[in-house]
Amino acid sequence: MGRIPDEAAPCGVFCGACPSYGKSCLGCGSDLKQRRRGKFRCKIRNCCFEDKNLDFCIECTEFPCQLLEKKLKNSHPGEARFKYRHEIYDNLERIKEIGVENWVEEQRNRFKCPKCNGSVTWYVYKCKECEFEYSP
Ligand code: SF4
Ligand code: SF4
Ligand SMILES: [Zn+2]
């Protein structure tokens, strides 16, 4: 774990439900070496963790900035696959309200298949185990 839990991202995305989580990526919260390099080049992650020295963008005086608006909140408007981006401000509010550890627990439960309890990932919003289509 880095400064925040592995499954959390400073932008408010829940990395725990990313199709790459636990495979090529260890989550944005982790600082450990990993196969996929993308997060280390992410402007948002670098801005929040390094430039501003904050855990989450919601603690920033510039929140919500153009970067977040463009890259996440307003990207692919109305496309169900990208719901995990559109909900980041709600996620950040919730983190502020209940604390990140509780939020991670809440999200883990949220991304469980209602049919078989298997894990559901975003983009596809489908259970990995039984393929039930489910968008929490
Ligand atoms: S936008 Fe950046 S910080 Fe947010 S999940 Fe993606 S790589 Fe991580
Ligand atoms: S400027 Fe934007 S990306 Fe950087 S910490 Fe603030 S809200 Fe996050
Ligand atoms: Zn299932």
Side-chain angles (χ1 to χ4, degrees):
M1 176 165 146
R3 51 189 305 153
I4 61 172
D6 294 356
E7 288 159 278
C11 60
V13 161
F14 178 56
C15 292
C18 171
S20 302
Y21 180 72
K23 296 178 194 146
S24 53
C25 184
L26 301 173
C28 279
S30 171
D31 281 330
L32 298 177
K33 241 182 119 177
Q34 63 173 55
R35 197 140 44 90
R36 189 186 276 251
R37 306 300 302 159
K39 77 180 192 203
F40 296 116
R41 288 191 295 261
C42 173
K43 284 187 185 155
I44 297 172
R45 189 177 183 276
N46 289 336
C47 178
C48 189
F49 284 173
E50 280 157 37
D51 301 350
K52 311 271 182 189
N53 196 23
L54 298 170
D55 291 350
F56 293 101
C57 285
I58 198 165
E59 299 158 20
C60 174
T61 49
E62 288 165 55
F63 175 83
C65 73
Q66 278 305 310
L67 259 178
L68 291 178
E69 293 278 294
K70 202 167 157 240
K71 190 170 169 183
L72 298 169
K73 182 75 179 163
N74 299 330
S75 75
H76 306 271
E79 272 187 58
R81 279 166 48 79
F82 295 93
K83 185 174 146 187
Y84 75 96
R85 297 187 187 179
H86 305 148
E87 68 189 14
I88 57 164
Y89 297 164
D90 295 335
N91 286 350
L92 288 168
E93 287 293 346
R94 189 74 181 146
I95 289 168
K96 209 166 117 183
E97 194 186 324
I98 64 170
V100 65
E101 306 285 347
N102 291 326
W103 177 78
V104 163
E105 197 52 41
E106 198 169 76
Q107 293 296 311
R108 278 188 195 146
N109 291 325
R110 186 177 163 229
F111 279 92
K112 265 189 193 142
C113 171
K115 282 200 158 174
C116 78
N117 229 18
S119 20
V120 175
T121 57
W122 33 256
Y123 287 131
V124 285
Y125 288 101
K126 205 195 240 177
C127 173
K128 280 193 221 163
E129 269 70 46
C130 76
E131 306 229 311
F132 180 62
E133 285 189 29
Y134 173 61
S135 181

